[in-house]
């Protein structure tokens, strides 16, 4: 790749949307008594909605919705006045985790915001359909270029405008022939994308469709979706051949994570890490390939547990990893926030340069003078901003005219620290689970975890014959908090091992965080 965090994620309150939005009306009936105020009836939806936009609604129905909203507004004002006249007891306001889509101003851009009580996604359709910012629990993940904030520059085949955020990209890059993409801000990278709201009873999102590009024969589109009840973000991207001949490309998801210090803009954050599993049968000499930058770079290594680990340093470098496990993670050890990006690795298919995952660290580049003297280019934050790219590649797609291929990625924001150990379907293990049988007959469990869903930690105990001896619910957990477990349990029977599961708020088992044998002794 080429060289070059607004509002806190919040609980969504009751709103009346106009006819261009999906209208959800929720009414609370209050019984006022001298002893307090009680909620009489749970919130109910008046309308269910499907994945479609509302532009086709009839004027008659739109008018009906307006009258309904106006009547309910009067009702709510009346109830508020009644409440104000009775100072006997406060009313506890009910909040909803419902997903919503609305137009906002973001740093001078006309943007669209998709949000629930967990996550806020800011999309700028005009600027190449970019997802400009992801906020989770008030933490902004992405780099946004302050020099270009609020600006739009028309597409150019000769320049690259790095706005920041997340976007779609093509591989292979280069200008050798027509089978390589030059990679500047042409219509693929910088063309205006159409935007359509999407919604159903389970969540909401957006569909973005880019302009067709005559040079590559490609048209990008993707949907971005949030659920009502979790911070999970789902991306479904498509690359379509809109030419009259066969083309072959790989589609990339490119995310620029902010690596600047939050206290000193002139400095980088020294606790940014990237992780992805290295391939045991890698096609690269060191199980990863240094595409750009010094070959001997101490920032990158393959750990003893098989994880490729990249410690961000402010130096231009690119690392290609033929990771087969279908995930990468970016961890901020200073703020203790992490983002996990999952994808489906397709065994047996050809990936560009063998790499399914690429990391780029932005910074000054190592160069040589005409006399062969090595030097670094301008490393000031203005010239070399602080960010690290995390890139996921699709396999090479051989597309006949009209055909398309897809890239599906799923993101899970959570809490973690630089002690990243294990990734599971339920979350991140930062301190491994330990289980110790105590003299009083109890089992002490300890460890620390970042979870992907709100719910409960549940311990499943098994004996030496692999029979389940019982389950115990241990603690309420939430993705916005790093879970530190240290508790004594009293399981039935004589268990010899324990598996720690995450059960979400709906009672669905989201999988195990870790399974370990129960040992005798003390935990130190």
């Amino acid at each position: 790749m080429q060289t070059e965090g607004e509002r806190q994620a919040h609980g969504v309150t009751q709103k009346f949307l106009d006819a261009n939005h999906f209208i959800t009306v929720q009414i609370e009936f209050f019984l006022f008594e001298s002893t307090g105020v009680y909620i009489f009836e749970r919130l109910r939806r008046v309308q269910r909605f499907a994945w479609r936009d509302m532009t086709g609604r009839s004027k008659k129905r739109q008018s009906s919705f307006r009258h309904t909203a106006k009547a309910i507004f009067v009702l709510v004002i009346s109830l508020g006045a009644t409440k104000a006249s009775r100072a006997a007891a406060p009313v506890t306001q009910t909040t909803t985790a419902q997903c919503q889509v609305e137009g906002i101003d973001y740093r001078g851009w006309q943007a669209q915001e998709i949000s629930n009580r967990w996550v806020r996604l800011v999309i700028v359709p005009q600027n190449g359909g970019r997802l400009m910012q992801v906020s989770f629990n008030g933490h902004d993940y992405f780099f946004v270029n302050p020099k270009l904030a609020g600006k739009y520059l028309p597409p150019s085949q000769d320049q690259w405008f790095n706005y920041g955020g997340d976007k779609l990209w093509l591989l292979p890059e280069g200008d050798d022939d027509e089978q390589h993409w030059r990679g500047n801000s042409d219509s693929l990278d910088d063309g205006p994308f159409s935007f359509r709201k999407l919604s159903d009873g389970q969540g909401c999102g957006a569909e973005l469709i880019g302009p067709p590009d005559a040079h590559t024969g490609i048209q990008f589109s993707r949907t971005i979706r949030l659920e009502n009840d979790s911070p999970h973000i789902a991306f479904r991207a498509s690359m379509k051949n809109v030419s009259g001949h066969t083309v072959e490309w790989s589609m990339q998801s490119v995310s620029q994570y902010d690596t600047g210090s939050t206290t000193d803009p002139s400095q980088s954050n020294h606790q940014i890490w990237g992780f992805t599993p290295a391939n045991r049968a890698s096609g690269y000499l060191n199980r990863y390939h240094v595409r750009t930058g010094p070959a001997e770079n101490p920032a990158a290594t393959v750990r003893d547990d098989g994880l490729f680990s990249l410690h961000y340093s402010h130096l231009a470098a690119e690392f290609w990893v033929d990771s087969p496990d279908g995930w990468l993670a970016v961890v901020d050890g200073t703020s203790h926030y992490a983002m996990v990006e999952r994808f489906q690795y397709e065994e047996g298919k050809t990936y560009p340069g063998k790499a399914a995952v690429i990391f780029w660290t932005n910074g000054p580049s190592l160069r040589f003078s005409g006399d062969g003297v090595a030097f670094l280019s301008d490393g000031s934050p203005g010239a070399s901003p602080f960010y690290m790219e995390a890139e996921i590649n699709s396999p090479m797609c051989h597309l006949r005219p009209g055909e398309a291929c897809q890239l599906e990625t799923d993101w899970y924001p959570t809490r973690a620290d630089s002690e990243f150990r294990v990734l599971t379907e339920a979350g991140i293990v930062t301190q491994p689970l330990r289980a110790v049988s105590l003299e009083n007959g109890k089992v002490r469990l300890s460890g620390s975890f970042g979870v992907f869903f709100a719910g409960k930690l549940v311990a499943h105990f098994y004996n030496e014959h692999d029979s389940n001896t019982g389950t115990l619910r241990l603690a309420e957990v939430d993705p916005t908090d790093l879970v530190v477990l240290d508790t004594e349990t009293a399981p039935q029977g004589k268990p010899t091992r324990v598996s720690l599961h995450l059960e979400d708020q709906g009672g669905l088992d989201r999988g195990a965080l870790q399974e370990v044998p129960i040992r005798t002794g003390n935990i130190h």
Side-chain angles (χ1 to χ4, degrees):
M1 299 295 300
Q2 307 187 36
T3 60
E4 307 258 295
E6 214 107 342
R7 194 175 66 192
Q8 181 171 345
H10 55 283
V12 180
T13 58
Q14 177 77 9
K15 298 189 74 174
F16 296 102
L17 305 179
D18 62 25
N20 292 323
H21 293 74
F22 292 98
I23 299 179
T24 300
V25 181
Q26 297 180 319
I27 307 172
E28 289 187 350
F29 295 92
F30 299 99
L31 292 179
F32 293 89
E33 297 182 2
S34 60
T35 57
V37 182
Y38 298 88
I39 296 176
F40 178 71
E41 181 173 330
R42 292 176 62 89
L43 300 175
R44 299 291 297 172
R45 288 181 184 230
V46 171
Q47 172 145 349
R48 295 183 178 276
F49 35 72
W51 281 87
R52 62 190 188 275
D53 69 320
M54 294 290 287
T55 56
R57 285 200 181 277
S58 67
K59 294 183 179 179
K60 182 178 180 180
R61 179 170 289 188
Q62 293 177 9
S63 176
S64 174
F65 282 139
R66 291 193 188 100
H67 288 306
T68 302
K70 186 183 296 183
I72 295 169
F73 178 77
V74 172
L75 174 61
V76 172
I77 294 300
S78 299
L79 289 175
T82 304
K83 173 188 170 186
S85 67
R86 299 200 179 200
V91 173
T92 301
Q93 184 175 353
T94 302
T95 60
T96 173
Q98 183 183 352
C99 182
Q100 66 177 17
V101 184
E102 60 183 344
I104 65 167
D105 177 274
Y106 179 74
R107 301 184 68 163
W109 282 304
Q110 291 184 352
Q112 295 288 331
E113 179 184 85
I114 307 171
S115 63
N116 61 16
R117 75 183 183 93
W118 306 94
V119 174
R120 175 175 175 250
L121 309 177
V122 179
I123 299 170
V124 182
Q126 183 179 18
N127 293 51
R130 277 170 172 75
L131 172 59
M132 201 65 75
Q133 190 56 268
V134 174
S135 296
F136 168 66
N137 195 38
H139 174 77
D140 290 342
Y141 283 91
F142 287 162
F143 164 78
V144 178
N145 193 337
K147 291 184 175 181
L148 297 179
K151 297 180 180 179
Y152 172 70
L153 302 172
S156 170
Q157 292 189 3
D158 301 314
Q159 298 181 71
W160 181 50
F161 311 128
N162 186 21
Y163 300 103
D166 167 86
K167 63 187 178 183
L168 296 176
W169 197 257
L170 274 186
L171 286 179
E173 292 177 274
D175 52 11
D176 299 344
D177 51 40
E178 290 185 341
Q179 283 69 54
H180 289 76
W181 180 49
R182 192 172 182 181
N184 285 318
S185 289
D186 59 12
S187 61
L188 276 181
D189 178 67
D190 194 38
F193 277 53
S194 67
F195 179 92
R196 184 169 69 97
K197 300 177 187 179
L198 305 173
S199 189
D200 65 11
Q202 302 303 311
C204 68
E207 177 188 66
L208 294 149
I209 302 177
D213 180 64
H215 178 69
T216 61
I218 288 299
Q219 183 178 33
F220 283 143
S221 65
R222 68 172 171 174
T223 62
I224 305 173
R225 173 184 169 88
L226 282 181
E227 299 163 354
N228 288 332
D229 57 356
S230 87
H232 166 226
I233 312 165
F235 298 83
R236 303 295 180 258
S238 176
M239 175 175 64
K240 182 179 180 180
N241 181 2
V242 291
S243 77
H245 58 87
T246 301
V247 298
E248 188 171 28
W249 297 103
S250 167
M251 176 172 34
Q252 249 192 345
S253 164
V254 181
S255 309
Q256 295 188 345
Y257 287 88
D258 192 350
T259 58
S261 169
T262 58
T263 58
D264 184 355
S266 68
Q267 299 296 319
S268 65
N269 181 343
H270 300 293
Q271 290 299 320
I272 301 292
W273 298 78
F275 301 98
T276 194
N279 193 333
R280 294 183 180 276
S282 176
Y284 300 133
L285 179 62
N286 296 314
R287 299 172 68 181
Y288 65 92
H289 170 61
V290 181
R291 175 84 175 208
T292 303
E296 297 292 332
N297 190 331
T301 187
V302 175
R303 305 189 327 193
D304 292 341
D305 61 4
L307 279 184
F308 170 81
S309 171
L310 177 61
H311 189 185
Y312 173 79
S313 61
H314 192 218
L315 180 69
E318 190 170 67
F319 305 88
W320 291 37
V321 190
D322 52 348
S323 178
D325 286 20
W327 65 267
L328 65 80
V330 176
V331 178
D332 183 341
T334 300
S335 66
H336 304 292
Y337 281 90
M339 180 69 81
V340 173
E341 301 184 19
R342 287 188 173 277
F343 63 97
Q344 183 65 48
Y345 181 79
E346 299 187 52
E347 191 75 40
K349 291 192 176 181
T350 301
Y351 282 80
K354 305 176 186 177
V357 171
I358 297 174
F359 288 103
W360 164 268
T361 59
N362 199 58
S365 58
L366 181 63
R367 298 179 180 177
F368 292 91
S369 68
D371 298 326
V373 178
F375 68 97
L376 288 176
S377 63
D378 187 353
S380 66
S384 300
F386 300 121
Y387 66 84
M388 178 171 74
E389 289 185 350
E391 308 170 13
I392 293 174
N393 303 333
S394 78
M396 295 297 295
C397 296
H398 188 83
L399 302 174
R400 293 177 294 184
E403 290 184 334
C405 66
Q406 286 70 43
L407 175 62
E408 300 185 0
T409 56
D410 294 271
W411 294 10
Y412 298 89
T414 188
R415 304 301 297 271
D417 54 37
S418 54
E419 294 297 319
F420 187 102
R421 303 298 180 92
V422 178
L423 180 76
T424 74
E425 289 184 278
I428 295 170
V429 178
T430 59
Q431 291 296 330
L433 177 64
R434 298 190 66 185
V436 176
S437 179
L438 305 177
E439 292 182 356
N440 60 8
K442 293 184 177 182
V443 175
R444 187 176 181 182
L445 302 176
S446 65
S448 63
F449 315 91
V451 297
F452 295 153
F453 302 91
K456 299 179 179 68
L457 289 185
V458 181
H460 296 250
F461 293 93
Y462 300 88
N463 62 21
E464 60 182 342
H465 303 295
D466 292 333
S467 296
N468 189 312
T469 62
T471 61
L472 291 175
R473 284 174 170 77
L474 302 179
E476 299 279 347
V477 295
D478 191 286
T480 60
D481 297 313
L482 184 65
V483 179
V484 179
L485 181 67
D486 189 359
T487 187
E488 292 185 8
T489 64
Q492 297 178 343
K494 295 181 179 181
T496 58
R497 61 185 172 90
V498 60
S499 181
L500 188 63
H501 282 238
L502 174 63
E503 187 178 284
D504 70 18
Q505 292 175 319
L508 182 64
D509 186 349
R510 291 292 185 169
L513 284 163
Q514 201 167 15
E515 183 175 2
V516 297
I518 299 174
R519 304 189 183 279
T520 302
N522 295 317
I523 296 180
H524 297 288

